[in-house]
Amino acid sequence: MAKRLNGQALAARYETSLRTSVAQHLTTAGCPPGLAVVRVGDDPASGVYVGRKAQACGRVGIRSRIIHHPATASQQEVLESICRLNADPACDGILVQLPMPAPLNARQLLLAVDPAKDVDGLHPLNLGRLVRGEPGLRPCTPAGVMALLAHGGIALEGIRALVIGRSILVGQPMGIMLQQANVTVTVAHSRTRNLADHCRQAELLVAAAGQPGLVGAHWVRPEAVVVDVGIHRVPPPRQGTRATLRGDVCFAEVEPRASHITPVPGGVGPMTVAMLLWNTVQAWQQRCGVVGGITPVPLPR
Ligand code: NAD
């Protein structure tokens, strides 16, 4: 039976470390770290995510605010909000909550964020720094996966990995981060032929296709490490019951076959939020000239 890589518990440890660092450097910095979330429209899932991020900020001492535009807002109005936040000294991090309703151009909005405040790590400058292996703000979800693997004691050097998905948000930066950890990486996508064969060769499988239950047990090599990035809301089966979440992996059948596995919920999701907090505190420290960085979360021996 696979060991579970518990993102909920690890995220709590990251929060403890961040809370300590914020408290330690508050006097030197003169003000707490600030995160602004730019949200447009009323997508209910976005509402839930934004609320969770705001609560997590509160737990570590980050001052958060939500700039909520109606779905009818123009590109210009949202751009002006971002420009105001770029110039605002009380704002260290700007998160543009995706997806943006049509016809807004999310790519142009992300480009407008000051790279020093780009806590999602999606600005071309920060993605370029990632490719070059230079310090910078890293995309939160793949950074969260790397932290889960490190704290799970997974030896990455020289192993063979398959990442399913090639989005800028997850798949592409995930592939780069794994390569930088000396993993031999294949990135699969919707045009990949014989996906099951690629999966069966992988010692590490990262599923980020956005396809519920795509990966079944027969696709997984025995003793593989399986990371499930997918999040899908399953509506309640009948009135009076609750909606549930599931991932891209058939958890119940893969768990007995894998060596390690991330659950959904409680795996990658909480670590994505933890990395957003980490990036915000890092951006705050950079802006305020704080020396010493963030207290690291100790790795297992
Ligand atoms: P996306 O739709 O932008 O990209 C999906 C990628 O998967 C594409 O590159 C596509 O080519 C590939 N793909 C789709 N179907 C495939 C198939 N059948 N076989 C092989 N490849 C296939 O999605 P995204 O933004 O990268 O997100 C992926 C999933 O991760 C979604 O379920 C999303 O909700 C979830 N997500 C979770 C977190 C988290 O914190 N856990 C964060 C971001 C995204």
PDB file of all heavy atoms in Angstrom, residues 38-70:
ATOM      1  N   VAL A  38      -6.781  39.775  -7.740  1.00  0.00           N
ATOM      2  CA  VAL A  38      -7.659  40.439  -8.707  1.00  0.00           C
ATOM      3  C   VAL A  38      -8.609  39.386  -9.261  1.00  0.00           C
ATOM      4  O   VAL A  38      -8.184  38.422  -9.900  1.00  0.00           O
ATOM      5  CB  VAL A  38      -6.826  41.079  -9.847  1.00  0.00           C
ATOM      6  CG1 VAL A  38      -7.746  41.730 -10.867  1.00  0.00           C
ATOM      7  CG2 VAL A  38      -5.836  42.092  -9.275  1.00  0.00           C
ATOM      8  N   ARG A  39      -9.888  39.565  -8.948  1.00  0.00           N
ATOM      9  CA  ARG A  39     -10.894  38.590  -9.373  1.00  0.00           C
ATOM     10  C   ARG A  39     -11.929  39.288 -10.256  1.00  0.00           C
ATOM     11  O   ARG A  39     -12.352  40.407  -9.941  1.00  0.00           O
ATOM     12  CB  ARG A  39     -11.564  38.003  -8.125  1.00  0.00           C
ATOM     13  CG  ARG A  39     -12.568  36.945  -8.455  1.00  0.00           C
ATOM     14  CD  ARG A  39     -13.260  36.378  -7.218  1.00  0.00           C
ATOM     15  NE  ARG A  39     -14.332  35.512  -7.651  1.00  0.00           N
ATOM     16  CZ  ARG A  39     -15.428  35.260  -6.957  1.00  0.00           C
ATOM     17  NH1 ARG A  39     -15.592  35.781  -5.746  1.00  0.00           N
ATOM     18  NH2 ARG A  39     -16.367  34.472  -7.446  1.00  0.00           N
ATOM     19  N   VAL A  40     -12.322  38.642 -11.335  1.00  0.00           N
ATOM     20  CA  VAL A  40     -13.343  39.222 -12.219  1.00  0.00           C
ATOM     21  C   VAL A  40     -14.473  38.211 -12.369  1.00  0.00           C
ATOM     22  O   VAL A  40     -14.227  37.039 -12.670  1.00  0.00           O
ATOM     23  CB  VAL A  40     -12.756  39.565 -13.612  1.00  0.00           C
ATOM     24  CG1 VAL A  40     -13.826  40.230 -14.476  1.00  0.00           C
ATOM     25  CG2 VAL A  40     -11.537  40.463 -13.480  1.00  0.00           C
ATOM     26  N   GLY A  41     -15.705  38.667 -12.159  1.00  0.00           N
ATOM     27  CA  GLY A  41     -16.866  37.788 -12.317  1.00  0.00           C
ATOM     28  C   GLY A  41     -17.119  36.971 -11.069  1.00  0.00           C
ATOM     29  O   GLY A  41     -16.484  37.180 -10.022  1.00  0.00           O
ATOM     30  N   ASP A  42     -18.055  36.029 -11.184  1.00  0.00           N
ATOM     31  CA  ASP A  42     -18.531  35.303 -10.001  1.00  0.00           C
ATOM     32  C   ASP A  42     -18.423  33.794 -10.148  1.00  0.00           C
ATOM     33  O   ASP A  42     -19.264  33.054  -9.623  1.00  0.00           O
ATOM     34  CB  ASP A  42     -19.984  35.711  -9.713  1.00  0.00           C
ATOM     35  CG  ASP A  42     -20.046  37.178  -9.309  1.00  0.00           C
ATOM     36  OD1 ASP A  42     -19.349  37.566  -8.353  1.00  0.00           O
ATOM     37  OD2 ASP A  42     -20.744  37.950 -10.004  1.00  0.00           O
ATOM     38  N   ASP A  43     -17.388  33.330 -10.842  1.00  0.00           N
ATOM     39  CA  ASP A  43     -17.173  31.881 -10.957  1.00  0.00           C
ATOM     40  C   ASP A  43     -17.117  31.291  -9.541  1.00  0.00           C
ATOM     41  O   ASP A  43     -16.277  31.699  -8.728  1.00  0.00           O
ATOM     42  CB  ASP A  43     -15.863  31.620 -11.722  1.00  0.00           C
ATOM     43  CG  ASP A  43     -15.483  30.152 -11.731  1.00  0.00           C
ATOM     44  OD1 ASP A  43     -16.328  29.352 -12.142  1.00  0.00           O
ATOM     45  OD2 ASP A  43     -14.358  29.820 -11.302  1.00  0.00           O
ATOM     46  N   PRO A  44     -18.032  30.355  -9.202  1.00  0.00           N
ATOM     47  CA  PRO A  44     -18.098  29.893  -7.799  1.00  0.00           C
ATOM     48  C   PRO A  44     -16.818  29.197  -7.332  1.00  0.00           C
ATOM     49  O   PRO A  44     -16.392  29.397  -6.182  1.00  0.00           O
ATOM     50  CB  PRO A  44     -19.282  28.916  -7.780  1.00  0.00           C
ATOM     51  CG  PRO A  44     -19.825  28.840  -9.163  1.00  0.00           C
ATOM     52  CD  PRO A  44     -19.051  29.736 -10.070  1.00  0.00           C
ATOM     53  N   ALA A  45     -16.196  28.394  -8.227  1.00  0.00           N
ATOM     54  CA  ALA A  45     -14.964  27.700  -7.799  1.00  0.00           C
ATOM     55  C   ALA A  45     -13.884  28.730  -7.468  1.00  0.00           C
ATOM     56  O   ALA A  45     -13.176  28.611  -6.455  1.00  0.00           O
ATOM     57  CB  ALA A  45     -14.484  26.757  -8.896  1.00  0.00           C
ATOM     58  N   SER A  46     -13.768  29.793  -8.302  1.00  0.00           N
ATOM     59  CA  SER A  46     -12.782  30.850  -8.028  1.00  0.00           C
ATOM     60  C   SER A  46     -13.061  31.499  -6.678  1.00  0.00           C
ATOM     61  O   SER A  46     -12.142  31.810  -5.924  1.00  0.00           O
ATOM     62  CB  SER A  46     -12.825  31.941  -9.102  1.00  0.00           C
ATOM     63  OG  SER A  46     -12.356  31.447 -10.314  1.00  0.00           O
ATOM     64  N   GLY A  47     -14.352  31.677  -6.382  1.00  0.00           N
ATOM     65  CA  GLY A  47     -14.730  32.284  -5.108  1.00  0.00           C
ATOM     66  C   GLY A  47     -14.217  31.461  -3.941  1.00  0.00           C
ATOM     67  O   GLY A  47     -13.675  31.989  -2.961  1.00  0.00           O
ATOM     68  N   VAL A  48     -14.354  30.133  -4.041  1.00  0.00           N
ATOM     69  CA  VAL A  48     -13.890  29.240  -2.972  1.00  0.00           C
ATOM     70  C   VAL A  48     -12.366  29.346  -2.842  1.00  0.00           C
ATOM     71  O   VAL A  48     -11.822  29.498  -1.746  1.00  0.00           O
ATOM     72  CB  VAL A  48     -14.312  27.774  -3.263  1.00  0.00           C
ATOM     73  CG1 VAL A  48     -13.680  26.821  -2.262  1.00  0.00           C
ATOM     74  CG2 VAL A  48     -15.830  27.648  -3.258  1.00  0.00           C
ATOM     75  N   TYR A  49     -11.654  29.302  -3.976  1.00  0.00           N
ATOM     76  CA  TYR A  49     -10.186  29.342  -3.942  1.00  0.00           C
ATOM     77  C   TYR A  49      -9.695  30.665  -3.345  1.00  0.00           C
ATOM     78  O   TYR A  49      -8.778  30.682  -2.513  1.00  0.00           O
ATOM     79  CB  TYR A  49      -9.588  29.165  -5.344  1.00  0.00           C
ATOM     80  CG  TYR A  49      -9.798  27.791  -5.927  1.00  0.00           C
ATOM     81  CD1 TYR A  49     -10.102  27.620  -7.269  1.00  0.00           C
ATOM     82  CD2 TYR A  49      -9.694  26.649  -5.134  1.00  0.00           C
ATOM     83  CE1 TYR A  49     -10.312  26.351  -7.806  1.00  0.00           C
ATOM     84  CE2 TYR A  49      -9.900  25.389  -5.666  1.00  0.00           C
ATOM     85  CZ  TYR A  49     -10.212  25.241  -7.005  1.00  0.00           C
ATOM     86  OH  TYR A  49     -10.416  24.001  -7.530  1.00  0.00           O
ATOM     87  N   VAL A  50     -10.321  31.771  -3.776  1.00  0.00           N
ATOM     88  CA  VAL A  50      -9.896  33.089  -3.289  1.00  0.00           C
ATOM     89  C   VAL A  50     -10.112  33.170  -1.773  1.00  0.00           C
ATOM     90  O   VAL A  50      -9.253  33.655  -1.025  1.00  0.00           O
ATOM     91  CB  VAL A  50     -10.655  34.210  -4.037  1.00  0.00           C
ATOM     92  CG1 VAL A  50     -10.476  35.557  -3.354  1.00  0.00           C
ATOM     93  CG2 VAL A  50     -10.194  34.289  -5.498  1.00  0.00           C
ATOM     94  N   GLY A  51     -11.250  32.638  -1.308  1.00  0.00           N
ATOM     95  CA  GLY A  51     -11.546  32.650   0.130  1.00  0.00           C
ATOM     96  C   GLY A  51     -10.500  31.858   0.910  1.00  0.00           C
ATOM     97  O   GLY A  51     -10.030  32.298   1.970  1.00  0.00           O
ATOM     98  N   ARG A  52     -10.108  30.683   0.379  1.00  0.00           N
ATOM     99  CA  ARG A  52      -9.105  29.850   1.074  1.00  0.00           C
ATOM    100  C   ARG A  52      -7.766  30.570   1.152  1.00  0.00           C
ATOM    101  O   ARG A  52      -7.053  30.497   2.153  1.00  0.00           O
ATOM    102  CB  ARG A  52      -8.917  28.532   0.335  1.00  0.00           C
ATOM    103  CG  ARG A  52     -10.085  27.640   0.554  1.00  0.00           C
ATOM    104  CD  ARG A  52      -9.714  26.177   0.369  1.00  0.00           C
ATOM    105  NE  ARG A  52     -10.961  25.425   0.422  1.00  0.00           N
ATOM    106  CZ  ARG A  52     -11.375  24.583  -0.486  1.00  0.00           C
ATOM    107  NH1 ARG A  52     -10.605  24.314  -1.522  1.00  0.00           N
ATOM    108  NH2 ARG A  52     -12.520  23.972  -0.372  1.00  0.00           N
ATOM    109  N   LYS A  53      -7.398  31.242   0.055  1.00  0.00           N
ATOM    110  CA  LYS A  53      -6.108  31.943   0.039  1.00  0.00           C
ATOM    111  C   LYS A  53      -6.129  33.072   1.073  1.00  0.00           C
ATOM    112  O   LYS A  53      -5.151  33.279   1.795  1.00  0.00           O
ATOM    113  CB  LYS A  53      -5.830  32.497  -1.360  1.00  0.00           C
ATOM    114  CG  LYS A  53      -5.483  31.404  -2.363  1.00  0.00           C
ATOM    115  CD  LYS A  53      -5.527  31.905  -3.799  1.00  0.00           C
ATOM    116  CE  LYS A  53      -5.381  30.730  -4.772  1.00  0.00           C
ATOM    117  NZ  LYS A  53      -5.657  31.109  -6.167  1.00  0.00           N
ATOM    118  N   ALA A  54      -7.261  33.784   1.151  1.00  0.00           N
ATOM    119  CA  ALA A  54      -7.363  34.892   2.112  1.00  0.00           C
ATOM    120  C   ALA A  54      -7.241  34.361   3.544  1.00  0.00           C
ATOM    121  O   ALA A  54      -6.541  34.944   4.386  1.00  0.00           O
ATOM    122  CB  ALA A  54      -8.684  35.629   1.909  1.00  0.00           C
ATOM    123  N   GLN A  55      -7.896  33.236   3.829  1.00  0.00           N
ATOM    124  CA  GLN A  55      -7.805  32.656   5.191  1.00  0.00           C
ATOM    125  C   GLN A  55      -6.366  32.253   5.510  1.00  0.00           C
ATOM    126  O   GLN A  55      -5.865  32.496   6.608  1.00  0.00           O
ATOM    127  CB  GLN A  55      -8.692  31.415   5.287  1.00  0.00           C
ATOM    128  CG  GLN A  55     -10.159  31.729   5.448  1.00  0.00           C
ATOM    129  CD  GLN A  55     -11.024  30.478   5.305  1.00  0.00           C
ATOM    130  OE1 GLN A  55     -10.509  29.377   5.142  1.00  0.00           O
ATOM    131  NE2 GLN A  55     -12.327  30.669   5.357  1.00  0.00           N
ATOM    132  N   ALA A  56      -5.710  31.633   4.524  1.00  0.00           N
ATOM    133  CA  ALA A  56      -4.325  31.182   4.743  1.00  0.00           C
ATOM    134  C   ALA A  56      -3.421  32.388   4.997  1.00  0.00           C
ATOM    135  O   ALA A  56      -2.537  32.344   5.861  1.00  0.00           O
ATOM    136  CB  ALA A  56      -3.836  30.372   3.541  1.00  0.00           C
ATOM    137  N   CYS A  57      -3.645  33.488   4.267  1.00  0.00           N
ATOM    138  CA  CYS A  57      -2.860  34.711   4.490  1.00  0.00           C
ATOM    139  C   CYS A  57      -3.019  35.170   5.936  1.00  0.00           C
ATOM    140  O   CYS A  57      -2.036  35.501   6.611  1.00  0.00           O
ATOM    141  CB  CYS A  57      -3.359  35.831   3.566  1.00  0.00           C
ATOM    142  SG  CYS A  57      -2.778  35.681   1.883  1.00  0.00           S
ATOM    143  N   GLY A  58      -4.255  35.180   6.403  1.00  0.00           N
ATOM    144  CA  GLY A  58      -4.533  35.619   7.773  1.00  0.00           C
ATOM    145  C   GLY A  58      -3.761  34.786   8.796  1.00  0.00           C
ATOM    146  O   GLY A  58      -3.274  35.314   9.795  1.00  0.00           O
ATOM    147  N   ARG A  59      -3.632  33.484   8.538  1.00  0.00           N
ATOM    148  CA  ARG A  59      -2.958  32.601   9.509  1.00  0.00           C
ATOM    149  C   ARG A  59      -1.465  32.902   9.634  1.00  0.00           C
ATOM    150  O   ARG A  59      -0.865  32.631  10.660  1.00  0.00           O
ATOM    151  CB  ARG A  59      -3.145  31.124   9.111  1.00  0.00           C
ATOM    152  CG  ARG A  59      -4.568  30.614   9.301  1.00  0.00           C
ATOM    153  CD  ARG A  59      -4.621  29.096   9.232  1.00  0.00           C
ATOM    154  NE  ARG A  59      -4.298  28.569   7.932  1.00  0.00           N
ATOM    155  CZ  ARG A  59      -5.161  28.326   6.953  1.00  0.00           C
ATOM    156  NH1 ARG A  59      -6.441  28.564   7.141  1.00  0.00           N
ATOM    157  NH2 ARG A  59      -4.764  27.833   5.803  1.00  0.00           N
ATOM    158  N   VAL A  60      -0.843  33.449   8.573  1.00  0.00           N
ATOM    159  CA  VAL A  60       0.616  33.673   8.670  1.00  0.00           C
ATOM    160  C   VAL A  60       0.981  35.149   8.853  1.00  0.00           C
ATOM    161  O   VAL A  60       2.158  35.480   8.961  1.00  0.00           O
ATOM    162  CB  VAL A  60       1.393  33.089   7.465  1.00  0.00           C
ATOM    163  CG1 VAL A  60       1.121  31.619   7.292  1.00  0.00           C
ATOM    164  CG2 VAL A  60       1.108  33.825   6.192  1.00  0.00           C
ATOM    165  N   GLY A  61      -0.021  36.026   8.849  1.00  0.00           N
ATOM    166  CA  GLY A  61       0.277  37.448   9.065  1.00  0.00           C
ATOM    167  C   GLY A  61       0.443  38.246   7.781  1.00  0.00           C
ATOM    168  O   GLY A  61       1.033  39.334   7.795  1.00  0.00           O
ATOM    169  N   ILE A  62      -0.066  37.716   6.667  1.00  0.00           N
ATOM    170  CA  ILE A  62      -0.077  38.487   5.412  1.00  0.00           C
ATOM    171  C   ILE A  62      -1.411  39.234   5.338  1.00  0.00           C
ATOM    172  O   ILE A  62      -2.462  38.648   5.588  1.00  0.00           O
ATOM    173  CB  ILE A  62       0.057  37.542   4.182  1.00  0.00           C
ATOM    174  CG1 ILE A  62       1.416  36.832   4.191  1.00  0.00           C
ATOM    175  CG2 ILE A  62      -0.154  38.303   2.882  1.00  0.00           C
ATOM    176  CD1 ILE A  62       1.568  35.747   3.123  1.00  0.00           C
ATOM    177  N   ARG A  63      -1.327  40.535   5.000  1.00  0.00           N
ATOM    178  CA  ARG A  63      -2.560  41.317   4.861  1.00  0.00           C
ATOM    179  C   ARG A  63      -3.084  41.097   3.440  1.00  0.00           C
ATOM    180  O   ARG A  63      -2.376  41.428   2.481  1.00  0.00           O
ATOM    181  CB  ARG A  63      -2.234  42.784   5.103  1.00  0.00           C
ATOM    182  CG  ARG A  63      -3.439  43.609   5.424  1.00  0.00           C
ATOM    183  CD  ARG A  63      -3.043  45.029   5.766  1.00  0.00           C
ATOM    184  NE  ARG A  63      -2.483  45.180   7.105  1.00  0.00           N
ATOM    185  CZ  ARG A  63      -1.818  46.261   7.509  1.00  0.00           C
ATOM    186  NH1 ARG A  63      -1.595  47.248   6.660  1.00  0.00           N
ATOM    187  NH2 ARG A  63      -1.354  46.335   8.736  1.00  0.00           N
ATOM    188  N   SER A  64      -4.278  40.527   3.314  1.00  0.00           N
ATOM    189  CA  SER A  64      -4.775  40.248   1.959  1.00  0.00           C
ATOM    190  C   SER A  64      -6.008  41.089   1.652  1.00  0.00           C
ATOM    191  O   SER A  64      -6.732  41.505   2.555  1.00  0.00           O
ATOM    192  CB  SER A  64      -5.117  38.766   1.809  1.00  0.00           C
ATOM    193  OG  SER A  64      -6.303  38.463   2.481  1.00  0.00           O
ATOM    194  N   ARG A  65      -6.196  41.368   0.377  1.00  0.00           N
ATOM    195  CA  ARG A  65      -7.421  42.050  -0.055  1.00  0.00           C
ATOM    196  C   ARG A  65      -7.814  41.523  -1.430  1.00  0.00           C
ATOM    197  O   ARG A  65      -6.963  41.028  -2.177  1.00  0.00           O
ATOM    198  CB  ARG A  65      -7.224  43.572  -0.099  1.00  0.00           C
ATOM    199  CG  ARG A  65      -6.111  43.978  -1.033  1.00  0.00           C
ATOM    200  CD  ARG A  65      -5.829  45.452  -0.891  1.00  0.00           C
ATOM    201  NE  ARG A  65      -4.408  45.688  -1.012  1.00  0.00           N
ATOM    202  CZ  ARG A  65      -3.907  46.766  -1.596  1.00  0.00           C
ATOM    203  NH1 ARG A  65      -4.696  47.701  -2.068  1.00  0.00           N
ATOM    204  NH2 ARG A  65      -2.602  46.916  -1.680  1.00  0.00           N
ATOM    205  N   ILE A  66      -9.098  41.629  -1.703  1.00  0.00           N
ATOM    206  CA  ILE A  66      -9.610  41.119  -2.979  1.00  0.00           C
ATOM    207  C   ILE A  66     -10.135  42.310  -3.777  1.00  0.00           C
ATOM    208  O   ILE A  66     -10.961  43.088  -3.276  1.00  0.00           O
ATOM    209  CB  ILE A  66     -10.723  40.085  -2.728  1.00  0.00           C
ATOM    210  CG1 ILE A  66     -10.159  38.906  -1.926  1.00  0.00           C
ATOM    211  CG2 ILE A  66     -11.313  39.592  -4.059  1.00  0.00           C
ATOM    212  CD1 ILE A  66     -11.193  38.030  -1.277  1.00  0.00           C
ATOM    213  N   ILE A  67      -9.625  42.467  -4.986  1.00  0.00           N
ATOM    214  CA  ILE A  67     -10.137  43.509  -5.884  1.00  0.00           C
ATOM    215  C   ILE A  67     -11.110  42.783  -6.809  1.00  0.00           C
ATOM    216  O   ILE A  67     -10.695  42.071  -7.726  1.00  0.00           O
ATOM    217  CB  ILE A  67      -8.991  44.162  -6.715  1.00  0.00           C
ATOM    218  CG1 ILE A  67      -7.767  44.461  -5.850  1.00  0.00           C
ATOM    219  CG2 ILE A  67      -9.494  45.366  -7.482  1.00  0.00           C
ATOM    220  CD1 ILE A  67      -7.959  45.457  -4.753  1.00  0.00           C
ATOM    221  N   HIS A  68     -12.396  42.925  -6.516  1.00  0.00           N
ATOM    222  CA  HIS A  68     -13.411  42.116  -7.219  1.00  0.00           C
ATOM    223  C   HIS A  68     -14.144  42.981  -8.251  1.00  0.00           C
ATOM    224  O   HIS A  68     -14.876  43.881  -7.892  1.00  0.00           O
ATOM    225  CB  HIS A  68     -14.380  41.541  -6.184  1.00  0.00           C
ATOM    226  CG  HIS A  68     -15.234  40.458  -6.734  1.00  0.00           C
ATOM    227  ND1 HIS A  68     -16.021  39.649  -5.977  1.00  0.00           N
ATOM    228  CD2 HIS A  68     -15.434  40.028  -8.016  1.00  0.00           C
ATOM    229  CE1 HIS A  68     -16.650  38.781  -6.739  1.00  0.00           C
ATOM    230  NE2 HIS A  68     -16.308  39.014  -7.990  1.00  0.00           N
ATOM    231  N   HIS A  69     -13.925  42.663  -9.529  1.00  0.00           N
ATOM    232  CA  HIS A  69     -14.618  43.375 -10.612  1.00  0.00           C
ATOM    233  C   HIS A  69     -15.828  42.556 -11.061  1.00  0.00           C
ATOM    234  O   HIS A  69     -15.785  41.315 -11.042  1.00  0.00           O
ATOM    235  CB  HIS A  69     -13.694  43.521 -11.827  1.00  0.00           C
ATOM    236  CG  HIS A  69     -12.564  44.485 -11.612  1.00  0.00           C
ATOM    237  ND1 HIS A  69     -12.702  45.839 -11.806  1.00  0.00           N
ATOM    238  CD2 HIS A  69     -11.279  44.290 -11.230  1.00  0.00           C
ATOM    239  CE1 HIS A  69     -11.536  46.431 -11.565  1.00  0.00           C
ATOM    240  NE2 HIS A  69     -10.659  45.515 -11.202  1.00  0.00           N
ATOM    241  N   PRO A  70     -16.886  43.237 -11.545  1.00  0.00           N
ATOM    242  CA  PRO A  70     -18.005  42.476 -12.111  1.00  0.00           C
ATOM    243  C   PRO A  70     -17.592  41.802 -13.424  1.00  0.00           C
ATOM    244  O   PRO A  70     -16.608  42.215 -14.045  1.00  0.00           O
ATOM    245  CB  PRO A  70     -19.069  43.555 -12.383  1.00  0.00           C
ATOM    246  CG  PRO A  70     -18.311  44.835 -12.479  1.00  0.00           C
ATOM    247  CD  PRO A  70     -17.096  44.691 -11.604  1.00  0.00           C
TER     248      PRO A  70
END
